[in-house]
Amino acid sequence: MARQQSGWFEPSRPIRVEGGIRVRNRRGSIGEQWWSRRFVDILERVCDSGRLSRGRSYARSGQVLDLEIGPGLVKARVQGSRRTPYRVTVGITAYGREQWHDLVGALAGQALHRAKLLAGEMPPEIEDVFRGCGLPLFPEQRGLEMDCSCPDWGFPCKHLSAVLYVLAEAFDDDPFLVLAWRGMARDALLDALRRNDDGAVDGGEVDGGGKPGLLDVADVPFAERIDDFYEPGASPARLSPPPGPSDGSEAPPDLLLRALDPPPVKARHIPLLDLLRPAYRSFTE
């Protein structure tokens, strides 16, 4: 019975939905990559463990209907026990043009970080780059502004918790969503990094210290280059990889391929860069 003689009510069950967002991990922790685990670790330090547990259950059963990530704001709908889904928002500070101007300049100044970002990877050292600019990559303990339309007095409620776990797994699939949440969309960032080592944001040049880009070579007419045509356009010193990081890791052998714009060339429907990468990697073996 839903109500007993003592007047105690059993907890209501959420209305089951079809087509909701289900997290893949059915047991244990949610989040597989370092950046999503970093986000989940922050949540589990500041949120009530009981509501987080119920939130995981909601996230695994597909109660989150949709998820929209924009600069500084995540919006979602969560189906609870009432017919009308609850509306959830999670906000953080989105960095402005001047702040991203500094961030892009700092990222472009690190050849290895730049190459990894252009390859779709999120280097762990990116947190240090943000910290060096005085800007946190992930929200601090009190850096989240959360709201849910449900009547639950607890904070965060299970609906908010479910959205936070779904958000963490979305970060798993696309690390650039972390940066988009902070105000810089993936395409805008990669375009700025591709233009040159100094980068640009919204048409404004980023000051990279006046150093020439790794791939910057003067465009000289062929008639003026006949005598030295086969000499390298850049000095060997500029093409040498920088000293490796303190953790002992080395620059990837396909660093130049990652830094170059991918050419619109395919062989048997395979992109040219995908064919060249194994050859570059074999050079180091």
Side-chain angles (χ1 to χ4, degrees):
M1 297 176 61
R3 183 174 68 179
Q4 298 179 356
Q5 292 180 353
S6 61
W8 177 80
F9 287 80
E10 291 184 358
S12 57
R13 295 177 177 271
I15 299 172
R16 296 298 179 182
V17 296
E18 296 293 336
I21 304 174
R22 295 173 181 264
V23 296
R24 293 183 297 271
N25 195 327
R26 309 305 297 171
R27 293 183 179 181
S29 300
I30 294 175
E32 299 175 356
Q33 305 296 335
W34 74 263
W35 53 86
S36 54
R37 283 304 314 162
R38 179 83 171 81
F39 180 65
V40 169
D41 288 344
I42 294 171
L43 300 182
E44 294 180 345
R45 284 202 306 268
V46 303
C47 298
D48 176 75
S49 59
R51 286 185 172 82
L52 283 176
S53 176
R54 291 190 286 275
R56 283 194 297 270
S57 177
Y58 265 53
R60 286 171 172 146
S61 60
Q63 298 302 118
V64 178
L65 302 179
D66 48 41
L67 185 75
E68 179 184 342
I69 303 174
L73 186 66
V74 168
K75 296 189 292 184
R77 292 182 306 142
V78 181
Q79 181 64 63
S81 57
R82 298 184 179 182
R83 178 171 298 180
T84 302
Y86 299 119
R87 296 189 177 275
V88 171
T89 59
V90 184
I92 61 170
T93 300
Y95 300 139
R97 184 175 182 274
E98 292 185 2
Q99 292 166 313
W100 272 109
H101 180 279
D102 295 337
L103 287 167
V104 171
L107 291 170
Q110 299 288 332
L112 186 56
H113 300 350
R114 177 175 179 265
K116 286 186 175 181
L117 287 168
L118 288 173
E121 302 176 21
M122 179 76 82
E125 298 83 3
I126 193 173
E127 278 196 277
D128 297 330
V129 175
F130 272 71
R131 195 176 296 113
C133 293
L135 303 168
L137 174 59
F138 296 98
E140 304 292 346
Q141 181 171 349
R142 298 182 180 179
L144 289 173
E145 298 181 1
M146 300 183 286
D147 182 69
C148 180
S149 61
C150 78
D152 190 348
W153 57 266
F155 185 81
C157 63
K158 53 183 174 289
H159 314 108
L160 269 167
S161 299
V163 170
L164 294 173
Y165 279 117
V166 169
L167 179 60
E169 195 163 272
F171 290 159
D172 249 352
D173 297 333
D174 184 359
F176 287 89
L177 291 179
V178 179
L179 305 180
W181 199 19
R182 282 296 190 189
M184 174 60 79
R186 175 190 182 118
D187 290 345
L189 175 61
L190 296 186
D191 286 346
L193 293 175
R194 284 193 184 105
R195 273 193 280 273
N196 53 53
D197 283 353
D198 294 339
V201 180
D202 292 337
E205 294 298 321
V206 174
D207 182 10
K211 297 180 180 180
L214 176 65
L215 304 177
D216 292 343
V217 179
D219 185 12
V220 180
F222 177 71
E224 300 177 16
R225 292 293 309 276
I226 294 178
D227 294 336
D228 62 349
F229 179 75
Y230 290 102
E231 294 182 7
S235 67
R238 287 182 61 201
L239 295 177
S240 299
S246 57
D247 61 1
S249 60
E250 298 180 354
D254 57 347
L255 175 62
L256 287 178
L257 294 182
R258 297 184 182 191
L260 290 169
D261 288 332
V265 178
K266 294 184 179 181
R268 297 182 179 179
H269 306 290
I270 301 175
L272 180 60
L273 291 188
D274 290 345
L275 296 173
L276 290 176
R277 283 194 181 96
Y280 271 70
R281 290 168 182 165
S282 66
F283 293 157
T284 61
E285 297 178 356

